[in-house]
Amino acid sequence: MGFSTPLSCRGAPVQSSSLWISCLAAMREPEPEPESDLTDPTPVDPGGLPGDSSLTTKELQQNWRAVKQGERPVKLLFEIPSSRIVEQMVSKHVVYEVAVMRSGGFDARRVFVERRYSDFFRFHHKLLEEFSEELEEVLLPRKLLTGNFSPDIISERRLALQDYLAKLYAIRCIRGSPRFHVFLTEQEQNRAHGLLRAGQFRLALEQLQDILEIEEKLLPWHKPTLIVPTLSAMAVCYRDLDEPEQAFAAAQRALPPVRRYGLRPHRAALLGLLVDVGYQTGRPVAQLQEELTRVKDAERGEASSRSLKELVIRAFV
């Protein structure tokens, strides 16, 4: 997949009004809740609401409304609010700003990525290799040989690409495909890991945070392991920035899906970081140390001896 032009590139902006196209996505059977090492002290009554015999009728009604709100179907919304022309030494191209937002009572924050038409073109042909029948009526806006940089053509294509994304995500097998996740995050992952390998951990974290937000929006249709590589990279960055609390939190969040889905190399590496950072921050780590010992004894070999940083760097080399 080709790389989009970084945001710092200067070009002639082409703005137009925003038009939301919502992609109604019926959720699959929900994934099990992530495991946690911490026990929620709030009792739960048989009806599924936080139990407290002292709650008033009004408070019970408010709790019930909150539960009902959480049952709203998830919708993923795509918007391409703007585009810009990027001029280089011997060529120029149009970059489209793609906004991703999840609705249905979950979150309203938009996360942005930039993609060229050539990125959409490669993405579509990758999908055709796997979903040719499902895509019979979903057409990518055609490639133009002339007029690509006229404001009217750019505006027309911007809206057509926005509609294309919505139609794609309306197809269950495609919205759950790893290819969709790759299209929305791979370029940013490559940039983030390039920054990480160069020791620019703060800049890498900014990219990784945006990637994590996109992945969180995609989670209803993917396994919880989707966010493990990003959280692992964030834990490495925080540790190298000497921010142990944040490093511990990121690794701790990544560990439950790693345990559940048997990601063996990540399990030993995450446990190793949690034990080291736990000692540094004065946390009780005896159980984590015991688990790490069991994992290493069961998985003797190179995979269990790699640090989390080694795993993260290898992932995008």
Side-chain angles (χ1 to χ4, degrees):
M1 178 179 291
F3 290 83
S4 64
T5 303
L7 288 173
S8 60
C9 292
R10 299 298 180 185
V14 180
Q15 298 288 339
S16 55
S17 60
S18 299
L19 174 64
W20 277 101
I21 304 275
S22 74
C23 169
L24 215 3
M27 289 182 63
R28 344 172 139 165
E29 182 178 345
E31 297 283 354
E33 289 294 321
E35 298 172 8
S36 174
D37 293 327
L38 303 177
T39 303
D40 185 355
T42 306
V44 178
D45 68 12
L49 298 174
D52 188 338
S53 59
S54 64
L55 286 178
T56 65
T57 301
K58 181 178 179 180
E59 290 170 330
L60 287 170
Q61 290 173 340
Q62 290 173 339
N63 283 347
W64 177 245
R65 279 196 295 271
V67 170
K68 293 294 285 181
Q69 183 180 22
E71 293 173 352
R72 293 178 185 174
V74 175
K75 301 176 186 179
L76 208 67
L77 307 175
F78 294 96
E79 183 188 20
I80 302 182
S82 66
S83 55
R84 61 193 178 90
I85 298 173
V86 177
E87 297 195 43
Q88 297 175 329
M89 292 292 293
V90 296
S91 65
K92 62 180 180 178
H93 59 267
V94 180
V95 172
Y96 298 91
E97 183 184 54
V98 181
V100 185
M101 172 178 152
R102 197 173 70 165
S103 68
F106 289 86
D107 71 77
R109 186 180 185 277
R110 296 188 294 175
V111 184
F112 297 90
V113 296
E114 286 193 329
R115 296 293 181 268
R116 298 172 58 174
Y117 176 83
S118 59
D119 297 323
F120 282 92
F121 185 83
R122 282 188 288 270
F123 173 46
H124 185 72
H125 282 270
K126 286 287 186 182
L127 288 175
L128 284 173
E129 293 174 4
E130 191 174 352
F131 305 108
S132 57
E133 292 184 8
E134 292 83 354
L135 290 172
E136 284 182 356
E137 298 182 5
V138 181
L139 302 177
L140 180 71
R142 63 190 179 89
K143 194 170 187 177
L144 301 175
L145 297 178
T146 61
N148 287 323
F149 303 106
S150 77
D152 289 342
I153 293 296
I154 291 175
S155 179
E156 180 182 338
R157 176 170 280 184
R158 180 184 62 79
L159 296 177
L161 289 172
Q162 179 173 288
D163 185 55
Y164 168 76
L165 287 175
K167 287 178 179 177
L168 281 184
Y169 222 82
I171 302 171
R172 178 184 292 270
C173 59
I174 292 179
R175 67 174 174 260
S177 169
R179 295 190 187 278
F180 213 103
H181 167 247
V182 168
F183 172 71
L184 291 173
T185 64
E186 184 179 47
Q187 295 181 30
E188 289 68 28
Q189 286 277 18
N190 281 320
R191 283 200 291 270
H193 284 74
L195 291 166
L196 190 154
R197 288 193 296 272
Q200 300 183 55
F201 302 114
R202 188 64 65 190
L203 292 175
L205 273 172
E206 292 176 6
Q207 285 276 289
L208 291 165
Q209 187 59 52
D210 285 342
I211 295 164
L212 181 62
E213 289 196 45
I214 291 175
E215 291 174 339
E216 288 171 338
K217 295 176 192 302
L218 298 175
L219 272 179
W221 304 280
H222 293 263
K223 289 183 179 180
T225 51
L226 184 74
I227 60 176
V228 168
T230 304
L231 288 170
S232 298
M234 293 176 72
V236 168
C237 288
Y238 280 127
R239 183 175 185 180
D240 283 5
L241 286 169
D242 197 22
E243 298 180 12
E245 294 290 345
Q246 291 89 333
F248 191 94
Q252 187 178 45
R253 185 180 173 194
L255 186 58
V258 165
R259 287 169 172 155
R260 187 181 312 118
Y261 291 93
L263 304 186
R264 293 182 177 180
H266 275 88
R267 186 174 182 181
L270 284 166
L271 285 167
L273 184 143
L274 286 167
V275 169
D276 291 345
V277 174
Y279 278 124
Q280 184 180 348
T281 57
R283 295 171 181 267
V285 295
Q287 290 184 346
L288 292 170
Q289 181 65 71
E290 290 175 7
E291 182 181 353
L292 176 60
T293 301
R294 291 197 306 271
V295 169
K296 286 189 171 183
D297 287 345
E299 302 173 9
R300 294 185 183 278
E302 183 186 354
S304 64
S305 64
R306 291 176 187 159
S307 69
L308 190 61
K309 190 170 186 178
E310 288 176 300
L311 284 180
V312 166
I313 289 174
R314 284 169 178 257
F316 281 81
V317 170

